[in-house]
Structures are given as structure tokens and as C-alpha cells.
Amino acid sequence: MGVTIYDIAEKASVSIATVSRVLNKNPRVSPETRARVLKVADDLGYEPHPSAQSLARRKSSLVSAVIPMVTNYFFMEVLRGLQARLAQTEYDLLVYSARTMEEVGTQLERALHRGRSAGVLLFSSPIRPPQLARVRRSGQPTVLVDCFHSEFDSVSIDNEQGGYLAARHLIDQGRERIAIIMANPGSVPAADRLKGYRRALEESGMDPVDAHIVASHDEETHGYTESHGREAMEQLLARDPVPDAVFATSDLQALGAFSAIRDAGLTVPSDVSIVGFDDIRLSEHLGLSTLRQPMYDLGRLATEKLLTRIAEPDRLPTHTVLSPHLVKRGSSVIELAGHLGSARSRSSAVAY
């Protein structure tokens, strides 16, 4: 195999993007760096392939998004914001859906394939060393959505604070045995929500009880489903004593827990209070207390960051953290419980 721009980048101690700019005579490189890269290329005997040069000059009209669980309500709302911003540009969206966290690396590899897209959005995935190395080598504009790494632009939700607010609210309502219905611990948002839940309990002098933490081990949906919420709640109802409050890491899980509680002959919130996370439309009508996160804005801002990164590849990374807001409804507040299951719940919601 001949010398590649990866070899030049390593020898000259610069990024792949810098080598590409030098070889394509982009003016956004300092004279010193340009001279060093050209000398290394000459020393190594680099000869650019004609088809590769043509590909490098061609501007892609695609933006790639690597998304686990594309059918999840959260991602659908984020994609709405993303597509709304892209509609104002010349770019089209190409979605790579990963059914499991193990597939994220494979789909990221496809998205980063040379010339395939102008930039990549990576959603809700931990940046493990192999992924980090691959993105670094590509030199491709990359923005992280609902996850964080200091080297890349990112937009995320303060999931730990959301978990804290949920548990704090239940404590303030006088609940003493507060359980959490967790998605798969490999999900970054769910893991952060668990941290916030633990922090709130510890601050209040309560020790988090392992028996009150029920996590999903589903690799495909991560457990962000109504069926997992129901199964987890059934496990909690079999415990002695039964928890008097539950924080679910998604609204769908909370709705499953809701049905399990009622089928057991118990009432919400008198016997068991429930708080979810997301604030999907159905939650408003059912009177579910929840953490409202700005999903649409998350997608729109992430797209804005990517467009800026494409236009200004050498700028320093920026990080935006959006805050979730607690919405109190009848599933956790006795005074509002009369509207549970009624469309009138929209008038009884209190946002903070």
C-alpha cells in the first residue's frame, strides 16, 4: 500500500483535516504548518491518486446522523428539530440506525466513510477509545448529541440534574421508599439520571436501596419501553415493603408502571407516586408528572453547531447543556390527582 494522508498526518503531528487542506491548497493553514506538511509528504514520496483528489474536492450534500433506537419517541422529536434546521440549507439527512450499542461503532464507521457526508451527528453514545480514534483519524466535522467529549462540539441535556429533580420532588411529597425504573445502564442518559436520583436521596439522609433499582438489560431498545416499565413495576410490587414512589427514566416506562400499579389494585398517587422523564404528549393527557426536556431544541442546536463546524473547521469546540424542567401533575401531587387520566390534566400541570 502506498503512502496515505494518514501517514503524513502522523509524521507531521497534525490532523487529517490539516493535511487535506494543505494538499488542496486551502488558505486556512499557517505558512509554517504548510511547509512542514509538504516536506513530510515529499520525504515520504506521497503521490495523490487522481480519483481521491476528485473526491476530496467534491462537496457532499449529506449530513449523517448515527442514532440508536431510531423508533424511540425521544429521537423522533430530536430528529424533527434537526430536519427543520436542515430544511433551511442545501443538506439532506442520512440516518444510520444502530439497534444495539455494539452496532454504533459499525454505523459510525459507515457514516465517516470518506466523502460520504459533510458532517456527522452522533447520538447518546459513550465515546469509547475505538470511536474516539476513528473520529480523530477521519478529521470529519462531528457533533455529539446527548453525550459529551471535550474534543468535540456537543449539545446535551443535564440528565443528572433531571434525575435529581425527580427524586427531590418525591422526597418533598413525603415519600420515603423511592424506587427507580432504569433503562439499560449502558445508556448514557439513563446512567446520568441514576446518579441524580442517588444524589437526591443521599442529600436527604436516605440510603439508595439496591432492591429499589430495577434496570433493563435490553440491548435493542435499552428498556425505554412501556413493557419494560410494567415488568419492572411488577418486580417492585413483589418487594416487601412496596415502594411508595417510583421515578422512571422515560415516560413510556412510567406509563407501563402506571398500568401495573392499577392492575394490582393500588392507586396513583395515594399508594404509589410516579414521575417520568421526557414529557411526551400522552403524558399531559394522563396527568403524568415528568421532566420536560427540550428535545426539538436539542436537534436544532446540534445541527446549528454542525453547520458552523463545517464552515469553520478550526474553531474551538463548544458545549451547550440544556436543562430539563419538572412538570408536576396528578401522578405525584395529591391535590392534582383528580385529573388523572383526563384530558383536563393540561390545565392542572405546574411547570418549574
Side-chain angles (χ1 to χ4, degrees):
M1 178 181 290
V3 177
T4 69
I5 61 173
Y6 299 102
D7 301 317
I8 299 172
E10 182 178 1
K11 187 76 172 178
S13 299
V14 297
S15 70
I16 303 301
T18 298
V19 175
S20 178
R21 291 188 199 103
V22 170
L23 298 179
N24 288 287
K25 301 180 180 179
N26 188 308
R28 296 177 60 83
V29 183
S30 70
E32 295 80 7
T33 299
R34 183 183 304 280
R36 184 168 78 254
V37 169
L38 289 174
K39 183 177 187 307
V40 169
D42 185 57
D43 290 344
L44 294 176
Y46 175 72
E47 294 183 5
H49 193 283
S51 62
Q53 286 185 311
S54 175
L55 185 62
R57 294 191 187 102
R58 189 173 70 211
K59 183 178 180 181
S60 173
S61 61
L62 293 174
V63 163
S64 295
V66 180
I67 302 178
M69 307 166 295
V70 72
T71 57
N72 181 284
Y73 179 88
F74 168 80
F75 292 114
M76 297 299 290
E77 283 296 296
V78 175
L79 280 173
R80 279 203 320 115
L82 192 162
Q83 290 174 315
R85 180 63 185 91
L86 281 185
Q88 302 170 0
T89 74
E90 61 186 11
Y91 293 104
D92 292 317
L93 178 65
L94 181 61
V95 175
Y96 293 90
S97 177
R99 292 176 300 172
T100 68
M101 290 308 300
E102 296 306 316
E103 282 190 10
V104 169
T106 301
Q107 298 293 52
L108 180 62
E109 180 70 32
R110 293 178 62 197
L112 291 172
H113 188 76
R114 185 188 300 176
R116 183 163 286 170
S117 61
V120 174
L121 295 154
L122 177 61
F123 285 71
S124 303
S125 303
I127 309 301
R128 300 188 176 102
Q131 283 85 33
L132 178 60
R134 181 64 185 91
V135 176
R136 281 173 173 167
R137 287 199 310 272
S138 76
Q140 197 161 336
T142 301
V143 173
L144 307 182
V145 188
D146 204 28
C147 50
F148 172 84
H149 192 284
S150 60
E151 289 188 26
F152 307 103
D153 297 297
S154 66
V155 185
S156 60
I157 301 291
D158 193 341
N159 287 295
E160 181 174 345
Q161 182 64 7
Y164 175 88
L165 291 174
R168 182 71 256 174
H169 167 61
L170 293 169
I171 293 167
D172 291 343
Q173 293 296 306
R175 302 298 173 165
E176 297 178 346
R177 300 183 305 280
I178 303 170
I180 180 171
I181 294 177
M182 270 280 291
N184 191 304
S187 164
V188 174
D192 286 343
R193 290 166 199 174
L194 175 62
K195 290 178 186 176
Y197 158 88
R198 288 183 179 277
R199 178 161 60 91
L201 265 59
E202 290 166 354
E203 282 186 7
S204 299
M206 300 181 183
D207 291 326
V209 179
D210 288 344
H212 287 168
I213 302 172
V214 182
S216 169
H217 297 289
D218 188 321
E219 289 288 340
E220 187 164 332
T221 67
H222 283 193
Y224 288 105
T225 63
E226 188 173 351
S227 61
H228 173 255
R230 182 183 181 85
E231 292 167 4
M233 191 68 235
E234 288 172 348
Q235 292 181 47
L236 291 169
L237 291 171
R239 308 269 160 87
D240 185 18
V242 172
D244 59 6
V246 172
F247 164 47
T249 52
S250 73
D251 282 358
L252 287 178
Q253 291 169 293
L255 297 179
F258 203 120
S259 63
I261 292 167
R262 288 194 162 177
D263 287 351
L266 302 176
T267 59
V268 176
S270 298
D271 295 313
V272 184
S273 292
I274 304 178
V275 175
F277 205 111
D278 284 332
D279 198 24
I280 64 177
R281 293 172 188 172
L282 184 59
S283 299
E284 179 182 7
H285 293 286
L286 293 179
L288 176 66
S289 295
T290 187
L291 272 297
R292 177 183 295 157
Q293 55 176 334
M295 297 171 279
Y296 182 92
D297 290 342
L298 191 71
R300 181 178 57 81
L301 288 171
T303 307
E304 191 66 54
K305 282 182 181 282
L306 185 61
L307 295 172
T308 302
R309 173 61 56 190
I310 292 170
E312 304 175 44
D314 295 323
R315 69 196 301 270
L316 292 175
T318 62
H319 310 286
T320 301
V321 180
L322 303 176
S323 299
H325 299 281
L326 176 65
V327 180
K328 299 179 182 179
R329 298 190 179 110
S331 70
S332 66
V333 181
I334 297 291
E335 291 81 358
L336 302 178
H339 296 289
L340 273 174
S342 167
R344 289 179 297 162
S345 63
R346 73 177 62 187
S347 64
S348 64
V350 182
Y352 290 83

